[in-house]
Amino acid sequence: MRARWIRTGRGLACLVLCGALASCQRPTQPLLPPPLFEFQGPSPEPLASRENNLPAQEIRDADTPATMEDFERYAGTIRILFGRGSAELTPIARAVLDRQAAWLRAHPDIRASLQGHADELAPREQQFALGEKRAAAMKFYLTARGVAPQRLFVTSFGRERPVATGSDEASQCQNRRGETVLLGLPGLSRP
Amino acid sequence: MRRSILSAVLVPLVALASPLRAEGPLHVDITQGVASPLLIAVPDILSGSIPDVAGGEDAGAALAKIVRADLVSTGLYRLVPFDGHYAIADEIAFAPFARAGAQALVIGRARPAGNNLLAYDCALYDVFGAHVEASQRIIVATAQWRRAAHKCADMVFAFTTGDPGHFDTRMLVAAQDGAIPGQRTRLVSMDYDGANPTELTQGKELVATPRFGPGSRRIVFLSYVDAAAPRLVVADLDSGSTTALKLPAGVPSAPRFSPDGATIVFSLAYDGDADIYAVNLASNSVRQLTSGAGTDTSPSFAPDGSAIVFESNRSGDSQLYVMAPDGSDQRRVSFGAGGHASPVWSPRGDLIAFTQIDGGALRIGIMKPDGSKERILTSGSRDEDPSWGMSGRAIMFQRTAAGAMLPTIWLTDLTGKVQQPVATGAAASEPAWSGKRP
């Protein structure tokens, strides 16, 4: 995560902690209609974007138990972020999902719950649909990266489980997220 | 449960000349707004303490206080202050109330009725005509003593407006602990004014979008018992039984009962597309009502079952559409400023309440079903989730104050001039207002 100071349209300085999402840089922009997400599959742009500077890590050998910690260590994060009202995967999100897909391919017995979340700035009901749209985009991408679709379970929490509150953009942009939670791990309680 | 026998025994003391509609001097003409609310006096008639009523306070005074709060919350009545009180056996003269300017007078006399029952004789008088307009003997279990006052206020409201009162009703909210939304959320039912809360779920799982069926007995809500697969759950509050609906693959949300209670309409999101479906509760047959790109959600039936209003972003931003119950004849009805979301059809059928999206702000508004006469009622920064009272004359909604983390529940009249918070105790969201209680 990088921190940077942004000048908003109202002339306020706002600390943005959400990485390089363009929407986070314009806190006062009106709600735009969500772009249609691409059904033609992942775009071929280079995955090693500037922000993608996590050191490449090896998937450990078969003796390493499959745990949420090992998944998170390898993928860097279980969480990806989206733009406001959008279910489009950013280059950073794609890079994270690439690593998640690699780990999931190496652990074919593990299933995953893809959990879409939305911010608190729009009415409740439509945010359930937006969360599902985000999680469906994750599933589509992971499937294209070689993870069997039967192993992936799409769900949406709408705006009911925010990680950050406060009506400011710096808080709300962290809620526009998708999380990959592993299922079927030995000794793991339900997510 | 027990209360079905004990609660609502209503014996008319004096025959009501006309059941609801009154054209006499005590009629409140709501179509003209609240420019001239009815001047009404509700004096304390002391009854002394009655066991299990009002925590040992004077029962008559406690009941009169609730009647006054009910009536004032509508904006249709202005209380004429009356210093002093009467004893239960006193004869009450009209003259002091006429001098104070009261047009209407409500006299409630509370007595123990034996066997843990409370009798409340509630009468509405025309002060200038000096005669009784309506009266009821209300008998309730002492544990439900507040309902006696609500029923008395309902009688006054019904006689003076021609619409059924919304005071003897329940409300569902998603209550929660902690400082951040989504922590230990639980479904709580309570009287419409926040009294008598009952926890329906224990806070182990996330719950959302509770709604009442017709009346106050059945509810439907979204339950995350299995976080990977949220389900719509129908619960019977009398028997305590719950049923998870069997639905096609996808994430369901925004359920709402049909007026006859036989069907639930909801939004089902699957593969990035959300459409409106209907499930018949008897046959469990599921029917898709909308299709195509865009998010279709928040369906709500007209009270006569002839149409469904819903929200869709098919035109770019969120707007309201109306369709036939089979999904045909879809047409956009909202054309006012900003986006429109979360529509709810009034129980009277004459209005649709909605959440207006104006930049970053959310506000409660109402419009006619054809989209005309749109009015925004609230001016908070995040006011949303409107729910109608059964009178069609009041709306409950959720307000998150600027800078606040957690929402509270508010009540507004249809002018937006009379707004007040509802005392729900803990933080609460997503109010759902019941219909008539048994």
Side-chain angles (χ1 to χ4, degrees):
Chain A
M1 293 282 192
R2 299 174 314 139
R4 57 166 78 167
W5 290 91
I6 304 290
R7 288 195 75 78
T8 73
R10 294 195 189 106
L12 298 168
C14 154
L15 183 61
V16 175
L17 295 162
C18 289
L21 278 173
S23 66
C24 289
Q25 296 169 13
R26 282 180 276 117
T28 57
Q29 72 168 9
L31 181 62
L32 296 172
L36 294 172
F37 84 70
E38 304 159 40
F39 278 97
Q40 68 269 33
S43 71
E45 66 184 281
L47 297 170
S49 61
R50 197 161 50 85
E51 290 81 4
N52 180 20
N53 53 7
L54 291 162
Q57 298 189 61
E58 295 301 316
I59 297 181
R60 293 186 189 169
D61 59 73
D63 293 341
T64 304
T67 61
M68 202 69 203
E69 290 72 31
D70 188 57
F71 176 66
E72 192 165 356
R73 174 197 64 79
Y74 181 77
T77 174
I78 63 160
R79 182 177 295 172
I80 62 172
L81 297 177
F82 293 86
R84 182 164 181 179
S86 167
E88 203 172 343
L89 298 173
T90 66
I92 309 170
R94 288 162 192 263
V96 170
L97 292 178
D98 281 333
R99 291 192 294 269
Q100 292 186 359
W103 192 94
L104 288 167
R105 284 196 306 271
H107 298 86
D109 51 331
I110 304 294
R111 293 166 298 129
S113 167
L114 307 176
Q115 305 184 343
H117 298 261
D119 67 36
E120 297 181 284
L121 301 180
R124 184 184 311 282
E125 292 92 341
Q126 56 180 254
Q127 298 299 64
F128 284 106
L130 179 57
E132 197 275 342
K133 196 168 180 173
R134 287 171 173 163
M138 294 167 68
K139 176 177 179 179
F140 190 79
Y141 189 90
L142 292 171
T143 303
R145 283 286 182 268
V147 183
Q150 311 89 275
R151 298 170 57 199
L152 302 173
F153 299 88
V154 165
T155 190
S156 170
F157 285 87
R159 49 178 248 197
E160 310 296 320
R161 277 278 163 85
V163 290
T165 58
S167 50
D168 58 311
E169 184 64 13
S171 299
Q172 289 301 328
C173 64
Q174 297 173 58
N175 293 330
R176 300 167 197 141
R177 68 194 197 277
E179 296 177 356
T180 307
V181 176
L182 302 183
L183 303 174
L185 295 178
L188 187 74
S189 61
R190 285 211 279 203
Chain B
M1 305 243 289
R2 274 183 314 161
R3 72 158 185 258
S4 56
I5 301 169
L6 297 180
S7 61
V9 188
L10 298 176
V11 184
L13 255 190
V14 177
L16 293 172
S18 119
L20 285 179
R21 192 88 191 162
E23 298 296 345
L26 294 190
H27 182 62
V28 180
D29 187 355
I30 299 171
T31 59
Q32 303 300 314
V34 288
S36 53
L38 188 69
L39 295 165
I40 197 164
V42 189
D44 289 347
I45 314 294
L46 301 186
S47 65
S49 175
I50 297 176
D52 300 324
V53 174
E57 280 178 56
D58 185 277
L63 287 159
K65 189 175 168 189
I66 296 169
V67 173
R68 288 192 291 265
D70 281 349
L71 295 175
V72 164
S73 70
T74 64
L76 303 174
Y77 308 89
R78 186 181 302 143
L79 283 178
V80 175
F82 179 77
D83 293 330
H85 48 76
Y86 293 95
I88 200 161
D90 287 350
E91 280 204 17
I92 295 165
F94 291 110
F97 297 101
R99 276 198 299 277
Q103 299 163 278
L105 173 66
V106 178
I107 298 296
R109 291 182 171 89
R111 292 187 187 85
N115 212 2
N116 295 322
L117 294 176
L118 167 73
Y120 193 48
D121 293 339
C122 167
L124 169 68
Y125 296 91
D126 175 347
V127 171
F128 297 110
H131 60 88
V132 66
E133 292 278 22
S135 70
Q136 287 182 325
R137 168 164 293 177
I138 300 157
I139 298 174
V140 298
T142 49
Q144 300 192 359
W145 63 277
R146 295 180 66 91
R147 292 191 68 181
H150 292 317
K151 285 184 173 297
C152 177
D154 277 339
M155 183 197 79
V156 172
F157 186 95
F159 187 84
T160 53
T161 68
D163 292 320
H166 57 241
F167 306 117
D168 183 32
T169 53
R170 294 284 278 178
M171 170 173 63
L172 283 174
V173 300
Q176 65 161 101
D177 295 338
I180 295 180
Q183 292 185 327
R184 214 174 94 74
T185 59
R186 57 209 187 273
L187 217 50
V188 182
S189 73
M190 55 185 73
D191 292 353
Y192 97 105
D193 59 3
N196 297 321
T198 305
E199 297 210 350
L200 303 177
T201 64
Q202 303 307 310
K204 294 187 186 102
E205 73 276 359
L206 183 67
V207 290
T209 63
R211 320 274 198 227
F212 272 108
S216 65
R217 178 168 172 170
R218 277 190 308 163
I219 64 170
V220 60
F221 60 99
L222 184 60
S223 167
Y224 284 80
V225 166
D226 179 356
R231 308 283 292 272
L232 291 182
V233 173
V234 176
D236 182 314
L237 297 187
D238 279 5
S239 70
S241 69
T242 61
T243 312
L245 298 180
K246 289 191 185 68
L247 301 176
V251 177
S253 63
R256 215 174 269 284
F257 280 91
S258 62
D260 63 3
T263 301
I264 286 174
V265 283
F266 60 99
S267 176
L268 187 70
Y270 182 69
D271 257 1
D273 183 29
D275 289 307
I276 299 198
Y277 289 70
V279 56
N280 182 298
L281 295 176
S283 66
N284 209 61
S285 62
V286 177
R287 180 169 184 184
Q288 183 170 355
L289 303 183
T290 71
S291 58
T295 294
D296 298 338
T297 185
S298 302
S300 171
F301 270 97
D304 63 0
S306 65
I308 295 171
V309 62
F310 64 101
E311 168 198 338
S312 175
N313 63 3
R314 61 184 67 176
S315 70
D317 62 345
S318 298
Q319 296 297 346
L320 306 187
Y321 293 74
V322 169
M323 63 182 173
D326 63 359
S328 64
D329 195 20
Q330 299 178 17
R331 60 191 190 279
R332 178 172 165 179
V333 295
S334 66
F335 293 94
H340 297 69
S342 309
V344 196
W345 215 306
S346 154
R348 285 169 51 88
D350 58 340
L351 293 167
I352 290 169
F354 58 89
T355 302
Q356 183 208 33
I357 308 165
D358 179 15
L362 303 177
R363 303 206 167 97
I364 304 298
I366 51 175
M367 61 167 61
K368 293 197 156 198
D370 64 3
S372 65
K373 298 266 175 69
E374 177 175 325
R375 271 187 298 149
I376 304 303
L377 302 181
T378 70
S379 56
S381 58
R382 272 166 61 198
D383 295 339
E384 51 190 319
D385 292 334
S387 180
W388 286 96
M390 60 179 276
S391 65
R393 300 297 190 191
I395 296 171
M396 205 87 79
F397 64 97
Q398 163 187 332
R399 167 169 287 175
T400 310
M405 302 281 187
L406 296 173
T408 50
I409 308 296
W410 283 65
L411 182 64
T412 182
D413 72 343
L414 297 193
T415 66
K417 287 177 186 157
V418 183
Q419 295 183 2
Q420 62 183 58
V422 179
T424 54
S429 58
E430 300 184 74
W433 202 342
S434 85
K436 191 173 171 53
R437 294 179 73 177

